[in-house]
Amino acid sequence: MLKGSKLYSVFTGKCPVCHEGDMYKESNPYKLNKIYEMHERCSVCNTKYKIEPSFFYGAMYISYGIGVAFAVAAFITSYFFIGLEVIPSFVSIIMVLIGLGPIIMRLARNIWINMFLSYDKNAKHKTSESGQD
């Protein structure tokens, strides 16, 4: 993953515009009391993360898709490759979704914001006076 690609921002939680500032106040998604706390703006390029009120509600759809993908992968792995019965396979789905829930939520938010903002290699040299809100 090279800086400048959307995947870099999605998997590192860095600013989607400059790829340097952190989006989240706490980098560990398993600190559940701070899981949704994001910086208002990027500390490097001053990009506003919450583009509009309730902006990240759309990330719920992304989260659903990621959750379904992990659930299907958990079922296929436990049922077909490990050889568990159906009920234990469904229990493995629940364990995977609970265990990876915070990571899924952050990935969904990162994917969602990267759908609307793009990398700009000169963003860190721009200031808030340049009209960026």
Side-chain angles (χ1 to χ4, degrees):
M1 287 185 303
L2 298 174
K3 192 181 273 191
S5 72
K6 291 205 178 275
L7 289 177
Y8 180 82
S9 175
V10 167
F11 288 115
T12 61
K14 297 291 185 182
C15 173
V17 177
C18 70
H19 288 188
E20 291 189 22
D22 290 324
M23 285 197 295
Y24 300 97
K25 292 181 179 179
E26 176 58 52
S27 61
N28 183 357
Y30 288 100
K31 290 192 177 177
L32 299 178
N33 59 338
K34 297 183 179 193
I35 192 169
Y36 292 108
E37 292 183 11
M38 296 181 71
H39 295 288
E40 183 71 27
R41 294 181 173 271
C42 176
S43 60
V44 177
C45 68
N46 203 34
T47 297
K48 186 175 181 181
Y49 294 134
K50 194 173 181 182
I51 298 171
E52 60 186 27
S54 305
F55 173 69
F56 286 106
Y57 280 178
M60 290 186 303
Y61 298 103
I62 305 293
S63 177
Y64 178 76
I66 295 171
V68 167
F70 276 114
V72 168
F75 180 77
I76 289 172
T77 301
S78 63
Y79 187 76
F80 292 108
F81 294 119
I82 298 174
L84 296 177
E85 296 296 321
V86 174
I87 299 299
S89 295
F90 281 109
V91 170
S92 71
I93 291 172
I94 293 168
M95 290 174 23
V96 164
L97 291 178
I98 289 172
L100 295 179
I103 292 173
I104 291 171
M105 189 281 305
R106 289 240 175 132
L107 273 176
R109 280 186 169 212
N110 295 350
I111 291 169
W112 185 253
I113 196 167
N114 273 280
M115 290 172 64
F116 297 95
L117 300 176
S118 297
Y119 178 69
D120 180 5
K121 63 182 177 181
N122 299 318
K124 64 182 175 182
H125 302 296
K126 296 177 182 177
T127 61
S128 60
E129 288 86 51
S130 67
Q132 187 176 18
D133 284 329

